[in-house]
Coordinates of all heavy atoms in Angstrom, one line a residue:
V41 N -3.9 -2.3 -10.0 CA -3.3 -1.6 -8.9 C -3.6 -2.4 -7.6 O -2.8 -2.5 -6.7 CB -3.9 -0.2 -8.8 CG1 -3.4 0.5 -7.5 CG2 -3.4 0.6 -10.0
L150 N 4.5 18.8 -13.2 CA 5.8 19.0 -13.8 C 6.7 19.9 -12.8 O 7.8 20.3 -13.2 CB 5.7 19.8 -15.1 CG 5.0 19.0 -16.2 CD1 4.7 19.9 -17.5 CD2 5.7 17.8 -16.6
S197 N 4.1 7.8 14.6 CA 4.8 9.1 14.6 C 6.1 8.9 15.4 O 6.1 8.1 16.4 CB 3.9 10.1 15.2 OG 4.7 11.3 15.5

Side-chain angles (χ1 to χ4, degrees):
V41 173
L150 299 173
S197 171

